[in-house]
Amino acid sequence: MVRSTRAAAPGRVNLIGEHTDYNGGFVLPTPIPQKTRVELARGEGRLVRVRSDQAPAPAEYALGRERPRGDWLDYVQGLTWALGEAGFELEGFNLRVTSDVPLGAGLSSSAALEIAVLRAIRAAFALDLDDVRLARLGQRAENDFVGARCGIMDQMAASLADAGAALFLDTRSLEFRRIALPPAADLIVIHSGVSHAIAGGDYNTRRAECEAAASALGVPQLRDVSPADLGRLAQLPEPFGSRARHVVTENQRVLEAVLALEANDVARLGQLFVESHASMRDDFDVSVPQVDLLVDVACADERVFGARLTGGGFGGAVVVLAAAGEGRGAGERITRAYAERSGERPTLLVPAG
Ligand code: ADP
Ligand code: MG
């Protein structure tokens, strides 16, 4: 009998479509080379022991007795809790986690952890779960156990995205299509050095503002507001009008980005990145001065088509679109210039070193 199972799941960078997933809208993530890897060994009884290279100390709990502690272990406890709620029978196990996805950088270390652990559990206990179901279980754990009210993008990306392609996902229907990345461009991902935590309140506040805007407009979700209705948004009190305008225009930008990708029109795609960043900064208010500086430094590079904050915001990483073959050179130039001007310690993550 096989007693040990290995599994992995990647981090992701969202090309465009930010804060649209919990509004029923469109997103366009692609995996990054950095991954979370787990090794699961079945144990005895109901005990779960977890050790992560990225956490200060090992921890343990009993299946069926999951209780939020307010730290990293909640992501694992939340998964076995969600599996239990869904009627799956597990037995105790030991889990070893290691990851090179930076934590709290908007590159979805949380979903990489969730999907890697779920894949290992699925294999070890021969559970009948497809990849979309894994994504839903990860989201359930994060929403209802950890308390971060994220949408489904990150878990779908970690579970279903393929390297070299973007996952164009309708987060309402969960219909998706993989679109090859444009041959005429290189992607660059740089962590600004400023970390966020989405379990913190700001992300949940934005989500509540979007729900309030949708209800004031009399629609189930902001997905249901068409770009032709932008005039109505101006009548909403602030900040609700601005928040809604970001979501409605961002959904439209995802659809335009898909057309640009398919046409290999990287100049247009870069322009959409720039517009998306301005909308996140001015209408959605999820950027910070360091990230704005990093985007400005990137856009000033002559080999760059555009740049934007990626992920939930309040710090984290930027995604930059550069001319094909120029990604490494431009990435190094931008990282160096930003470090000098900001005093932060940025990391060039893509192209990977
Ligand atoms: P992001 O998903 O953008 O990296 P989140 O705030 O959603 O940021 O999730 C980060 C949190 O997920 C960390 O603070 C930690 O609690 C947990 N986490 C992610 N990866 C690991 C890991 N390898 N080991 C331990 N905890 C992890
Ligand atoms: Mg996350």
Side-chain angles (χ1 to χ4, degrees), residues 12 36 52-55 71-73 75 97-99 101-113 142 148 154 196-200 311-312:
R12 63 98 189 96
T36 298
S52 167
D53 293 345
Q54 284 69 48
D71 70 4
W72 66 279
L73 187 69
Y75 289 85
V97 180
T98 186
S99 181
V101 182
L103 275 54
L107 300 171
S108 200
S109 69
S110 58
L113 175 63
E142 197 154 335
D154 295 351
H196 78 114
I198 85 163

Side-chain angles (χ1 to χ4, degrees), residues 7 27 56 61 64 77 86 97 118 133 162 175 180-182 205 222 252 330:
V27 294
Y61 66 95
Q77 291 197 82
V97 180
L118 284 170
R133 187 84 192 278
D162 289 340
E175 272 180 84
L181 293 178
T205 303
L222 290 178
Q252 194 57 30

Side-chain angles (χ1 to χ4, degrees), residues 24-43:
F26 306 110
V27 294
L28 197 62
T30 187
I32 54 174
Q34 289 80 8
K35 289 185 168 65
T36 298
R37 295 182 166 80
V38 303
E39 186 172 349
L40 184 155
R42 291 187 56 167

Side-chain angles (χ1 to χ4, degrees), residues 46 48 61-68 76-82 84 90 145:
R46 312 280 298 159
V48 177
Y61 66 95
L63 292 170
R65 295 181 173 274
E66 293 88 351
R67 301 279 179 277
V76 180
Q77 291 197 82
L79 297 172
T80 57
W81 169 81
L90 304 181
F145 196 89

Side-chain angles (χ1 to χ4, degrees), residues 21-336:
D21 63 348
Y22 56 78
N23 289 298
F26 306 110
V27 294
L28 197 62
T30 187
I32 54 174
Q34 289 80 8
K35 289 185 168 65
T36 298
R37 295 182 166 80
V38 303
E39 186 172 349
L40 184 155
R42 291 187 56 167
E44 305 298 329
R46 312 280 298 159
L47 192 65
V48 177
R49 286 204 183 92
V50 195
R51 168 197 298 268
S52 167
D53 293 345
Q54 284 69 48
E60 55 183 56
Y61 66 95
L63 292 170
R65 295 181 173 274
E66 293 88 351
R67 301 279 179 277
R69 312 195 320 176
D71 70 4
W72 66 279
L73 187 69
D74 292 354
Y75 289 85
V76 180
Q77 291 197 82
L79 297 172
T80 57
W81 169 81
L83 284 164
E85 291 281 299
F88 291 97
E89 295 285 337
L90 304 181
E91 288 164 24
F93 56 88
N94 296 337
L95 194 67
R96 174 75 196 254
V97 180
T98 186
S99 181
D100 57 356
V101 182
L103 275 54
L107 300 171
S108 200
S109 69
S110 58
L113 175 63
E114 290 152 16
I115 298 301
V117 172
L118 284 170
R119 282 177 171 164
I121 291 176
R122 173 172 68 182
F125 297 97
L127 304 185
D128 182 16
L129 290 167
D130 67 21
D131 292 342
V132 172
R133 187 84 192 278
L134 283 200
R136 286 188 186 277
L137 284 163
Q139 187 197 20
R140 173 103 209 264
E142 197 154 335
N143 284 176
D144 298 338
F145 196 89
V146 176
R149 299 189 62 214
C150 60
I152 191 79
M153 164 170 69
D154 295 351
Q155 292 79 11
M156 285 293 283
S159 189
L160 284 139
D162 289 340
L167 189 78
F168 172 39
L169 171 69
D170 178 335
T171 63
R172 175 173 280 174
S173 66
L174 294 193
E175 272 180 84
F176 60 86
R177 188 151 63 82
R178 297 184 177 94
I179 305 176
L181 293 178
D186 278 2
L187 283 183
I188 304 170
V189 179
I190 303 169
H191 181 13
S192 66
V194 182
S195 291
H196 78 114
I198 85 163
D202 294 329
Y203 185 97
N204 289 350
T205 303
R206 287 295 172 278
R207 181 165 178 157
E209 289 166 352
C210 288
E211 286 166 0
S215 102
L217 291 162
V219 292
Q221 288 182 298
L222 290 178
R223 158 72 181 270
D224 301 300
V225 180
S226 103
D229 288 338
L230 277 176
R232 283 181 66 206
L233 304 185
Q235 281 142 38
L236 290 178
E238 285 303 315
F240 306 103
S242 301
R243 304 296 188 250
R245 187 167 57 218
H246 165 74
V247 174
V248 174
T249 59
E250 185 77 353
N251 270 327
Q252 194 57 30
R253 282 186 288 270
V254 178
L255 300 178
E256 289 184 35
V258 167
L259 296 177
L261 266 183
E262 288 173 336
N264 199 19
D265 186 349
V266 290
R268 175 68 186 138
L269 191 58
Q271 196 182 0
L272 290 163
F273 276 28
V274 170
E275 288 169 18
S276 170
H277 184 76
S279 179
M280 287 177 83
R281 182 191 60 210
D282 302 335
D283 278 347
F284 218 64
D285 195 17
V286 289
S287 192
V288 296
Q290 294 95 321
V291 169
D292 291 340
L293 173 65
L294 180 50
V295 165
D296 288 347
V297 168
C299 289
D301 192 287
E302 58 181 15
R303 314 308 288 176
V304 164
F305 298 111
R308 57 180 291 278
L309 167 60
T310 186
F314 310 104
V318 302
V319 57
V320 183
L321 195 69
E326 305 281 345
R328 175 161 307 282
E332 286 171 357
R333 277 195 301 279
I334 295 163
T335 305
R336 212 178 312 120

